[in-house]
Amino acid sequence: MTDLTISGLARHGGVGVETIRYYQRRGLLETPRGEGVRRYDEEDRRRLRFIRSAQTAGFTLEQIGELLALDAGQDRARARDLAQARLTELDAKIAELETARASLRRLAQACGAGSSGPCPIITAFEG
């Protein structure tokens, strides 16, 4: 499938037209030149898939821009460094979420049926 309009590219990528334009303003996608209706090709579809996949992995648009530049330059060490940094951030977030889950689990159990007095969940959040 080639020769897509901006709406076709957006539909293919599962994003809105304004998202495509935003990516173009950020320099992540090229803005096609020419007269009349602008057309997007397979390379544009590939870049959009790359951007969306990298976002799913938690990379920022700035990091995605760097990864796209590395894609062309084959700088594996820098790509690995970016991925390792993202893994470290994810590990910290997972630890934070696990702590929050354990705390909420304790509060939910303390607020079980048959207990009296103020609800520990509400008390904890008011504090």
Side-chain angles (χ1 to χ4, degrees):
M1 176 187 286
T2 58
D3 204 32
L4 295 170
T5 62
I6 192 169
S7 63
L9 180 64
R11 197 170 34 257
H12 171 77
V15 298
V17 169
E18 287 305 314
T19 300
I20 300 295
R21 290 187 178 122
Y22 180 71
Y23 292 162
Q24 289 170 333
R25 285 191 302 272
R26 294 289 305 257
L28 300 174
L29 285 173
E30 294 292 322
T31 302
R33 302 287 178 226
E35 297 187 29
V37 177
R38 295 175 177 167
R39 301 292 179 172
Y40 298 83
D41 61 16
E42 186 59 36
E43 178 60 21
D44 298 310
R45 289 178 63 206
R46 185 193 73 77
R47 283 181 75 93
L48 181 56
R49 280 192 307 269
F50 182 94
I51 293 165
R52 300 297 290 153
S53 294
Q55 282 182 310
T56 299
F59 287 100
T60 66
L61 292 181
E62 182 177 300
Q63 291 168 327
I64 292 169
E66 187 172 351
L67 286 169
L68 285 166
L70 294 174
D71 180 43
Q74 302 277 328
D75 188 349
R76 295 176 79 157
R78 180 62 186 143
R80 185 179 51 251
D81 290 346
L82 283 169
Q84 189 60 51
R86 184 63 195 135
L87 283 169
T88 300
E89 292 168 9
L90 285 172
D91 288 341
K93 186 66 173 180
I94 288 168
E96 180 183 324
L97 288 170
E98 287 174 341
T99 299
R101 181 179 59 193
S103 295
L104 190 54
R105 182 175 285 136
R106 281 191 302 276
L107 288 170
Q109 289 170 347
C111 193
S115 59
S116 61
C119 175
I121 296 171
I122 295 174
T123 304
F125 293 148
E126 286 177 342

